Amino acid sequence: MGIVVEFNPDLALRNITECKEGRRRKEECIPENLEKGYTYSFLKKDQRNYWLFGEIPLIETKGNQILSRPKANIQILEATHFVENGEMYTRGTYTVIEVFNDDEIHFECFDKIGVRD
């Protein structure tokens, strides 16, 4: 038996309507009024590892790996694993560096545009 761990290059959260309709906790969703410079909490099922030493994309997921383009550029400040009712979770906080409100491409692979030569 091994330890199941997922490595995530981005933070994928649900649309806030999932919370409003009672299907998800608030921390599992992208905040309704996502703002640059603010810090938010997140919650993900399972044991996940995130890169903490730089910026990563915040994306919206509909589940089953149906993902949006990046909604924002964020920095995860902390991530903690815990068990609740026999299920593994990862919770943490992130700060929004920039919110994207257009259809432009803002990342190349996992780097913000302009970082690579």
Side-chain angles (χ1 to χ4, degrees):
M1 180 175 181
I3 299 170
V4 178
V5 179
E6 186 172 324
F7 290 82
N8 295 127
D10 49 37
L11 179 60
L13 300 176
R14 301 289 179 136
N15 188 285
I16 193 66
T17 57
E18 293 288 315
C19 175
K20 290 179 179 181
E21 295 173 2
R23 291 189 295 272
R24 299 279 174 176
R25 298 181 199 180
K26 181 180 178 182
E27 295 80 13
E28 293 178 280
C29 302
I30 296 175
E32 190 165 17
N33 297 312
L34 192 66
E35 294 186 52
K36 178 180 176 178
Y38 281 77
T39 299
Y40 301 94
S41 297
F42 72 88
L43 177 68
K44 294 290 291 182
K45 192 170 180 301
D46 299 322
Q47 187 168 340
R48 297 164 185 267
N49 286 334
Y50 295 98
W51 188 45
L52 302 180
F53 196 61
E55 300 171 13
I56 64 171
L58 172 66
I59 59 177
E60 185 177 306
T61 179
K62 294 183 181 190
N64 298 319
Q65 298 181 3
I66 300 170
L67 307 170
S68 72
R69 286 197 181 269
K71 301 285 185 185
N73 185 28
I74 65 167
Q75 171 127 25
I76 294 183
L77 304 175
E78 63 177 329
T80 304
H81 306 115
F82 69 99
V83 176
E84 182 177 274
N85 298 322
E87 302 238 47
M88 179 67 72
Y89 289 90
T90 303
R91 69 175 158 219
T93 58
Y94 63 94
T95 296
V96 177
I97 307 301
E98 183 179 357
V99 177
F100 305 135
N101 292 314
D102 56 35
D103 291 327
E104 297 295 316
I105 296 173
H106 296 276
F107 280 85
E108 181 177 43
C109 295
F110 299 107
D111 293 324
K112 186 125 186 316
I113 293 292
V115 173
R116 294 183 183 199
D117 289 334

